[in-house]
Amino acid sequence: MSLVLDPAAQDLLFREARTANTFTDEPVTDEQVQAIYDLVKYGPTAFNQTPLRITLVRSPEARERLVAHMAEGNRAKTATAPLVAILSADNEFHEELPTLFPAFPQAKDAFFGERVVRENSAALNAALQAAYFIVGVRAAGLAAGPMTGVDLEGVRKEFLDDDHTPLMVVNIGRPGENASYPRSPRLAYEQVVTTV
């Protein structure tokens, strides 16, 4: 059975999409970010918990503060990307569950009363949403450069609070010259999928 999604869209989202290391200076607008979010917000999470939080770094002052926390090899990329997003998990996501999961509003207290449970669930589900966000960036015709080569605790102290756990930094924009490394190999289906 073939995929229903048009082959050109498959290429845009996956086969031809690449992690970008350089970008043009074309700006990424708030309207583009809104359109990305309005698409990817429908990606599934457990209990529709939606813990991902996105901090857009636009001002030169904030960019300078963020670059100071990046690993040496990531500093130039983050300094020159048209837009940078800090993706984090909101560990107090459960406060929104009565609205976001009306089928079982008691889930807030029944499953997520303990902080450690919330942190684990927020990390997993925000990571899912981060992947949706990256695919959404690609759907907008832009490239993403997600990075974990960053002092995440420093980023938390600089930009967030104790209720938010940073997951990654994502550079966003149109790819520049020599933006990507050659495509690395992928595991074959047989190496990944097991039937029991």
Side-chain angles (χ1 to χ4, degrees):
M1 176 177 156
S2 62
L3 299 174
V4 174
L5 190 65
D6 177 86
Q10 295 173 35
D11 288 343
L12 177 70
L13 299 178
F14 294 101
R15 286 191 288 262
E16 299 299 326
R18 307 298 298 281
T19 296
N21 294 299
T22 67
F23 298 91
T24 69
D25 59 2
E26 181 180 334
V28 177
T29 67
D30 288 335
E31 292 77 17
Q32 287 172 300
V33 177
Q34 177 78 51
I36 291 164
Y37 177 73
D38 285 342
L39 174 65
V40 304
K41 69 184 179 184
Y42 295 108
T45 58
F47 295 97
N48 196 36
Q49 63 187 249
T50 318
L52 182 70
R53 299 297 178 264
I54 303 166
T55 303
L56 300 177
V57 180
R58 287 203 182 274
S59 74
E61 298 79 17
R63 182 77 61 107
E64 187 175 316
R65 290 170 28 223
L66 177 59
V67 167
H69 295 287
M70 302 304 297
E72 183 64 37
N74 291 332
R75 289 182 179 169
K77 294 184 270 191
T78 300
T80 59
L83 179 63
V84 181
I86 299 168
L87 304 187
S88 63
D90 181 356
N91 296 308
E92 298 299 313
F93 69 87
H94 69 307
E95 296 295 340
E96 304 292 339
L97 282 181
T99 300
L100 293 175
F101 198 63
F104 185 46
Q106 303 88 342
K108 172 185 182 269
D109 298 314
F111 295 110
F112 301 108
E114 294 182 35
R115 173 73 179 218
V116 68
V117 173
R118 288 198 306 275
E119 288 177 351
N120 290 335
S121 190
L124 172 63
N125 287 280
L128 283 172
Q129 289 187 281
Y132 303 145
F133 180 78
I134 292 165
V135 173
V137 168
R138 292 172 172 184
L142 301 170
M147 298 173 296
T148 56
V150 55
D151 173 8
L152 291 172
E153 181 59 18
V155 168
R156 186 192 64 72
K157 289 178 181 176
E158 189 80 38
F159 292 95
L160 306 170
D161 59 32
D162 289 340
D163 289 331
H164 293 80
T165 302
L167 304 172
M168 67 186 71
V169 171
V170 182
N171 297 325
I172 304 168
R174 299 237 180 249
E177 286 189 42
N178 303 313
S180 301
Y181 298 116
R183 168 92 54 205
S184 295
R186 298 297 193 264
L187 293 175
Y189 177 86
E190 296 78 13
Q191 293 174 281
V192 175
V193 178
T194 303
T195 302
V196 295

